[in-house]
Amino acid sequence: LIHFTKRHLKKWLCLTMADASESFEIDELVAPFDIPYEEFYNKYLSENKPCILRGYLETCNWPASKDWVQDGKPNLAFFMKLFPPDHEVPVSLCHSKFFNSQECVTNTLRDYFEYWHGDRKSGLKYLKDWHFVEDCESAEIDYKAYTVPRYFQSDWLNFWLDGRDLAENEERSDYKFVYIGPKDSFTPFHSDVFGSFSWSANIVGIKEWIFVLPGDEKRVETAPDTYVYDVLSQQAKDLQAKHNGKVRMCRIIQRTGDVIFVPSGWFHQVRNVVDTISINHNWFNAANCQRIFCNLNSELKRVEQEISDCSDDPQWNRMCQNLLREHFGMNHLQFLDLLEFILKKSRDKSKETCQDSVSMSSQDVATIQNILPQLLTKLSDLGLNEESEHCESLIMSFS
């Protein structure tokens, strides 16, 4: 698999997809990666179109590409040296289904290291969604494993999370993850949090991705907004054959050094073909901020339906916002705070405060200025008067 030519890969894709669905391809970019940022932004981010950057990490000189690899395989001993053995990490149990995801437990690094180098008879344990960068900062570990690829540096979400003011007893978080998975560990069929973008860089190993064209996930829907666990399963095939029609999908192999861009709302599932380590970020910016706002509104409707029996409570709208934050990961009040944070940082052109990760163009500012009146209307409709007044003041100050 590592040495597939493009011709062989396409032939293999056609053979393996033929019995299940109609297939399509995604763009493959190769060195020297001289496509200008603006062109990449317009072609992939604005158009919400996936792509894979073949061998991109060969141009990056990341410490992770050296430290996390030994003899072409994942080097977990490095993490054992970097953190205390009792450092806790999140582990998903791949064959323990929890609703439409996987049961997640906490292991110490020592326990996971022993599992990794043992017989693995306890099942497929996938160390994923590990906030590696955050854990390094919390432990005051001076180690920078990587830098964000230049095409993905306009990241409003993580820039806000890294710099926002925290409430009392609130802990800082982010959407920057490390994934360490044994052969055949997997992530079920899903779309990413908020409807965000994501990028995934393979430090070592091979992943098999399956993308489904937007809208075709409805053909494997088992209940409203609930989908099959595995888009290649017999259940998925039966749903397509019965009345929904074939799902159009793309199966692509990501090898060591490849970086994949996953657009907003694209359903996908991923399997580790061999033992693999990857770095993954979720993020959004001007290209998909409107989508995030629409998803936020849609999710609020679901929350309101879930607790409609409490609608007589004077604090019902705030209750809904609290539940929205817990279940969706963000609410309208936080979204307002994020937009204000980004706008204020855009005013400061000094290198100390205006980092590469949030370099702002006039188009970016215009996008926020277009969304703020929509947000004001929503906050007013919800009777959130204090936040409405603040949003109106923000519009006036940046008009």
Side-chain angles (χ1 to χ4, degrees):
L1 286 175
I2 293 177
H3 301 293
F4 264 175
T5 65
K6 189 172 182 180
R7 179 175 59 84
H8 287 139
L9 181 59
K10 286 185 176 180
K11 181 179 179 181
W12 178 79
L13 294 180
C14 292
L15 289 171
T16 55
M17 298 296 289
D19 66 334
S21 65
E22 299 176 2
S23 62
F24 65 94
E25 296 179 5
I26 70 172
D27 288 356
E28 299 189 23
L29 309 183
V30 297
F33 306 108
D34 53 1
I35 177 173
Y37 173 78
E38 184 176 359
E39 183 179 341
F40 186 94
Y41 181 99
N42 291 333
K43 187 172 183 178
Y44 298 106
L45 275 63
S46 290
E47 292 297 319
N48 208 42
K49 181 180 175 181
C51 65
I52 183 166
L53 288 74
R54 293 288 187 195
Y56 184 85
L57 298 193
E58 295 174 12
T59 71
C60 292
N61 196 30
W62 286 0
S65 296
K66 174 176 63 71
D67 298 336
W68 301 3
V69 183
Q70 186 173 46
D71 299 326
K73 296 179 180 180
N75 177 23
L76 269 64
F78 177 83
F79 300 100
M80 291 288 289
K81 294 177 181 177
L82 194 64
F83 291 95
D86 61 353
H87 185 81
E88 293 184 338
V89 291
V91 174
S92 291
L93 308 180
C94 288
H95 293 296
S96 181
K97 188 176 177 182
F98 183 74
F99 292 97
N100 219 39
S101 187
Q102 296 163 336
E103 181 183 358
C104 187
V105 299
T106 299
N107 282 182
T108 64
L109 269 179
R110 180 195 295 109
D111 289 342
Y112 194 76
F113 183 83
E114 291 175 354
Y115 158 78
W116 187 271
H117 290 284
D119 56 25
R120 304 186 185 179
K121 288 184 178 179
S122 56
L124 292 172
K125 297 182 178 182
Y126 195 175
L127 196 169
K128 67 177 181 178
D129 295 332
W130 180 14
H131 294 269
F132 176 83
V133 172
E134 179 188 322
D135 282 4
C136 284
E137 292 174 353
S138 297
E140 297 184 347
I141 296 172
D142 185 16
Y143 178 71
K144 189 171 184 178
Y146 62 95
T147 55
V148 176
R150 66 188 182 95
Y151 297 121
F152 312 131
Q153 287 184 358
S154 178
D155 178 348
W156 295 2
L157 176 61
N158 286 297
F159 187 66
W160 170 68
L161 288 170
D162 289 345
R164 71 189 182 99
D165 293 331
L166 298 178
E168 187 176 358
N169 298 322
E170 185 181 10
E171 295 183 358
R172 199 165 294 285
S173 188
D174 61 26
Y175 284 89
K176 311 170 192 176
F177 306 109
V178 167
Y179 283 45
I180 304 175
K183 180 180 184 295
D184 289 327
S185 55
F186 64 96
T187 300
F189 190 58
H190 71 288
S191 65
D192 286 333
V193 60
F194 310 138
S196 61
F197 292 148
S198 69
W199 61 264
S200 174
N202 253 21
I203 301 301
V204 60
I206 303 170
K207 289 181 183 289
E208 174 195 65
W209 291 71
I210 297 174
F211 287 96
V212 166
L213 279 181
D216 277 19
E217 71 276 2
K218 293 293 184 182
R219 297 176 178 177
V220 287
E221 192 177 43
T222 58
D225 300 309
T226 304
Y227 305 92
V228 294
Y229 190 66
D230 177 1
V231 75
L232 299 180
S233 66
Q234 188 59 50
Q235 180 188 26
K237 293 177 183 178
D238 291 344
L239 285 168
Q240 293 172 73
K242 186 176 181 181
H243 54 82
N244 293 341
K246 289 184 177 181
V247 169
R248 293 164 294 176
M249 61 178 77
C250 172
R251 188 191 310 238
I252 192 159
I253 296 297
Q254 179 189 21
R255 299 181 287 272
T256 296
D258 293 347
V259 178
I260 278 188
F261 167 63
V262 183
S264 289
W266 278 63
F267 276 71
H268 55 283
Q269 65 187 46
V270 189
R271 180 176 67 91
N272 292 312
V273 178
V274 297
D275 293 351
T276 301
I277 300 180
S278 66
I279 294 169
N280 301 62
H281 281 206
N282 291 97
W283 95 103
F284 59 82
N285 59 25
N288 62 336
C289 192
Q290 182 68 55
R291 287 190 178 93
I292 304 302
F293 181 57
C294 291
N295 291 339
L296 195 60
N297 292 336
S298 296
E299 195 64 28
L300 177 61
K301 289 181 181 178
R302 295 192 186 98
V303 169
E304 290 171 340
Q305 291 170 359
E306 287 293 324
I307 61 168
S308 58
D309 56 330
C310 302
S311 59
D312 292 337
D313 192 305
Q315 294 298 313
W316 185 68
N317 281 317
R318 294 204 178 271
M319 289 169 56
C320 289
Q321 287 297 311
N322 290 336
L323 284 172
L324 184 62
R325 182 187 63 224
E326 293 300 319
H327 294 288
F328 187 64
M330 181 181 289
N331 61 26
H332 289 80
L333 313 184
Q334 292 174 309
F335 189 64
L336 172 61
D337 187 62
L338 181 150
L339 296 181
E340 180 179 11
F341 182 90
I342 298 301
L343 275 177
K344 286 183 175 179
K345 291 300 181 183
S346 75
R347 276 182 166 175
D348 191 339
K349 302 301 182 181
S350 70
K351 293 182 180 179
E352 289 77 18
T353 58
C354 191
Q355 300 178 10
D356 289 342
S357 57
V358 72
S359 178
M360 297 286 291
S361 69
S362 58
Q363 182 181 357
D364 293 337
V365 174
T367 297
I368 296 179
Q369 290 174 327
N370 181 57
I371 292 174
L372 281 175
Q374 301 173 53
L375 182 55
L376 173 60
T377 299
K378 189 66 179 180
L379 293 171
S380 299
D381 290 346
L382 295 173
L384 301 172
N385 296 328
E386 182 180 342
E387 290 79 11
S388 297
E389 291 175 6
H390 185 73
C391 185
E392 187 170 17
S393 173
L394 189 63
I395 292 171
M396 295 294 293
S397 64
F398 281 90
S399 61

